[in-house]
Amino acid sequence: MPGVLCRTVAVMVAAATLAGCGITDTDAHPAGQVVRGSLTASGSSLLRVYFVTPQGTWPVSRPALAGDRLPQAMKALWAGPTAGERARGLITHLPAAARPIQARATEGGAEVRLPWLVRDLRSVAVSQIVCTAAAASDGGGDAVIEVLEPGMGDHPWQVRCDENGTAEPTGRGGFS
């Protein structure tokens, strides 16, 4: 008798599963405008910092304190990904250096002083720096980042962060 009961219960469970949940198919319906937004330099409590995946740079959010966002962003970039971010596969391509990256806001962007020569960096490391500085500056999506290298004088390379998180020359003294 226990075998019959088990079979009966199994048949009932299978029948209920096959019957579905009673929800019929529906078509897609418009739900309004696409959600838009981004981190802004003013009033946001978050910083955007760029790290690296096998596909290129990837932004992460970090809490921002009141005050100048640019030094905070560079400090977060310099510190590297958190343990949780590393567990998700994010890394940094910034090499070790005796001193950190220095940055200050400029009109429409930022000036970044590197402890390395750009030629000694991977291109994705340059993108990490440029895109993090651009996101933290007041220049928004058009922020011009002036990159200065040690021993190269005061002739910066002018670059931007494109929509893919890649540093690109501005055409005004940018690197090629």
Side-chain angles (χ1 to χ4, degrees), residues 99 101-104 106 110-118 121 129-130 145-159:
R99 59 185 172 85
I101 301 165
Q102 298 174 349
R104 69 175 185 86
T106 61
E111 177 185 278
V112 176
R113 291 188 178 271
L114 302 178
W116 323 273
L117 295 175
V118 170
L121 297 174
I129 297 163
V130 169
I145 309 303
E146 297 178 335
V147 178
L148 294 153
E149 304 170 86
M152 301 301 274
D154 287 329
H155 301 289
W157 293 10
Q158 296 181 333
V159 292

Side-chain angles (χ1 to χ4, degrees), residues 74-86:
M74 291 295 110
K75 185 176 180 179
L77 177 63
W78 188 255
T82 64
E85 292 162 351
R86 286 191 308 275

